[in-house]
Amino acid sequence: MSLNGWIDLRSDTITQPTEAMRRAMYEAEVGDDVYREDPTVRRLEELAAAMLGKEAGLLVTSGTQGNLAAMLAQAGRRDEVILGNRSHIHIFEQGGIAALGGIHPRPVPNQPDGTLRLEDIRAAIRPENIHFPRSRVVALENTHNLCHGSPLSVAYTQAVADLARAHNLRLHVDGARIFNAAIALGVPARALAAPADSLMFSLSKGLAAPIGSVLVGDRDFIEEARRARKVLGGGMRQAGVIAAAGIVALTQMVDRLAEDHARARRLAEALANIPGLHVDLDRVRTNIFYVELDAPYDAGAFRQALETHRVRVLALDSRTIRVVTHYHITDEDVDRAIPAFQAALQQIQTHG
Ligand code: TLP
């Protein structure tokens, strides 16, 4: 079901709530969640915690708020977080951990597969010294958005957790797309979450809920995160209307993510065959992939040309576009998109 005739490959965030979600929202039993009196929010939080194998969960308004609340709960002013130089927290969250939390970011290079090398993490951990901030948290991202939607394995996540713990640091996972990672790797999401002290995942991306992410972790962490969420303005009242859609997302929309991965794969393989476009097929593992354009093609012009065919993508820089499959991208949309990419390239060749 494409949206208003558009094949919108910009992001899985554009997905709209399913009929079952809209019905559940309408029927949701609600209360004041700041008083913890919303039964639907509590049900969602318990379900999320159980699915991720953690003690407790906390509904937050967005992935950005979830990551920030997790950092505020685990690090203070003058502390440091070790994170990837291409991580969403570092690139796309307005530097919120520093701006609002006084937490210093310590970026280390993301490898092409989204990992941070263990030796780079080790080297970034601060020894006790009056000149240095104190290292408190290591943050990973799974799947890794800017690193080709790569999933990080259980073994790798465990290795980072072991290293972090040996130095008294905590491990946070930005798991906005953790269920995509689980499906791509063929492991339960709880196995990917097990090594982490805190994990955020999104309801509002591939799972198609309209709003919300959930933080999971142990009870003490969740209580701190609940305080942090409140100061960030995220203490919601009758939030059961949001949580109801989230419950549908978790019970009905997880397994189908495999279809998004298969369609991304098919589209990526077709685009890789178009002269002028490059896709690193080895890296196409989930629902996100990147396409590089040969010089002198310009990604911005290409994006515009694609829109004349009612296909939308994101241009990341002058050579790179991002393609994301999701609930509203069907097999027919993939069939229609392929000639559109071909035609758009010809258009910018002729006019550009
Ligand atoms: N990602 C969005 C944009 O912000 C780039 C997208 O279209 O992919 N962590 C990761 C890994 C994300 O990809 C995102 C959103 C977030 C956190 C933030 O989630 P929201 O948008 O709910 O604040």
Side-chain angles (χ1 to χ4, degrees):
M1 185 196 36
S2 50
L3 291 171
N4 305 321
W6 282 91
I7 299 173
D8 196 334
L9 299 162
R10 285 174 301 172
S11 184
D12 47 11
T13 60
I14 64 109
T15 47
Q16 299 199 356
T18 64
E19 245 181 81
M21 287 178 188
R22 291 172 191 266
R23 208 171 317 117
M25 294 170 81
Y26 178 76
E27 290 167 358
E29 197 186 335
V30 296
D32 189 328
D33 186 52
V34 173
Y35 295 120
R36 306 195 193 186
E37 286 171 7
D38 189 302
T40 310
V41 171
R42 293 180 80 123
R43 257 201 311 134
L44 169 69
E45 291 174 345
E46 282 163 20
L47 174 64
M51 287 175 77
L52 277 306
K54 298 292 186 200
E55 280 178 11
L58 183 73
L59 174 64
V60 289
T61 59
S62 64
T64 303
Q65 186 181 67
N67 281 332
L68 182 52
M71 292 304 128
L72 293 180
Q74 297 178 99
R77 307 188 76 79
R78 302 179 293 136
D79 288 340
E80 196 165 68
V81 172
I82 297 168
L83 39 54
N85 66 338
R86 297 178 62 69
S87 63
H88 195 278
I89 296 177
H90 196 53
I91 304 279
F92 290 123
E93 298 184 10
Q94 258 191 53
I97 62 168
L100 305 183
I103 302 164
H104 193 244
R106 183 81 186 279
V108 304
N110 272 117
Q111 302 304 305
D113 64 357
T115 59
L116 310 175
R117 285 159 52 192
L118 294 179
E119 51 269 40
D120 290 342
I121 298 174
R122 198 174 294 116
I125 296 171
R126 306 278 195 167
E128 181 57 40
N129 180 315
I130 200 167
H131 299 88
F132 296 155
R134 288 196 169 117
S135 310
R136 294 285 188 210
V137 181
V138 179
L140 296 176
E141 186 173 315
N142 197 8
T143 64
H144 201 291
N145 185 340
L146 277 183
C147 296
H148 304 258
S150 301
L152 307 186
S153 70
V154 173
Y156 171 73
T157 311
Q158 186 62 56
V160 175
D162 292 345
L163 175 60
R165 224 142 280 152
H167 292 86
N168 235 354
L169 270 64
R170 293 175 64 91
L171 174 63
H172 174 69
V173 173
D174 172 348
R177 297 183 180 85
I178 199 71
F179 292 104
N180 295 86
I183 282 177
L185 297 165
V187 299
R190 67 168 67 79
L192 293 170
D197 297 295
S198 62
L199 180 142
M200 178 280 287
F201 73 87
S202 293
L203 299 164
S204 61
K205 298 193 170 70
L207 303 184
I211 301 168
S213 290
V214 183
L215 268 177
V216 294
D218 66 24
R219 260 181 250 293
D220 288 347
F221 160 71
I222 290 295
E223 283 320 299
E224 274 308 300
R226 187 183 297 279
R227 286 187 62 80
R229 181 188 69 170
K230 190 74 175 75
V231 79
L232 297 174
M236 296 180 283
R237 302 297 178 173
Q238 287 71 37
V241 289
I242 294 169
I247 291 170
V248 176
L250 286 178
T251 50
Q252 297 182 10
M253 302 298 282
V254 171
D255 292 342
R256 64 153 305 285
L257 294 174
E259 297 174 27
D260 299 342
H261 298 182
R263 292 190 181 108
R265 181 85 213 165
R266 191 159 72 82
L267 182 55
E269 283 173 0
L271 299 187
N273 278 329
I274 299 177
L277 300 183
H278 295 279
V279 185
D280 187 344
L281 290 175
D282 289 341
R283 297 220 195 124
V284 182
R285 308 275 305 275
T286 63
N287 68 326
I288 296 179
F289 67 91
Y290 289 83
V291 182
E292 299 289 327
L293 281 73
D294 275 341
Y297 297 124
D298 175 71
F302 185 60
R303 179 187 61 75
Q304 279 178 0
L306 266 176
E307 291 196 356
T308 66
H309 301 271
R310 295 184 82 76
V311 174
R312 283 193 169 125
V313 295
L314 282 185
L316 279 211
D317 55 42
S318 61
R319 288 276 170 268
T320 316
I321 60 164
R322 187 181 79 158
V323 178
V324 184
T325 55
H326 51 75
Y327 180 57
H328 300 293
I329 301 297
T330 61
D331 286 330
E332 297 72 52
D333 291 333
V334 172
D335 292 339
R336 267 181 54 206
I338 296 163
F341 274 78
Q342 229 149 5
L345 204 59
Q346 262 156 23
Q347 266 162 258
I348 58 171
Q349 212 162 18
T350 337
H351 304 296

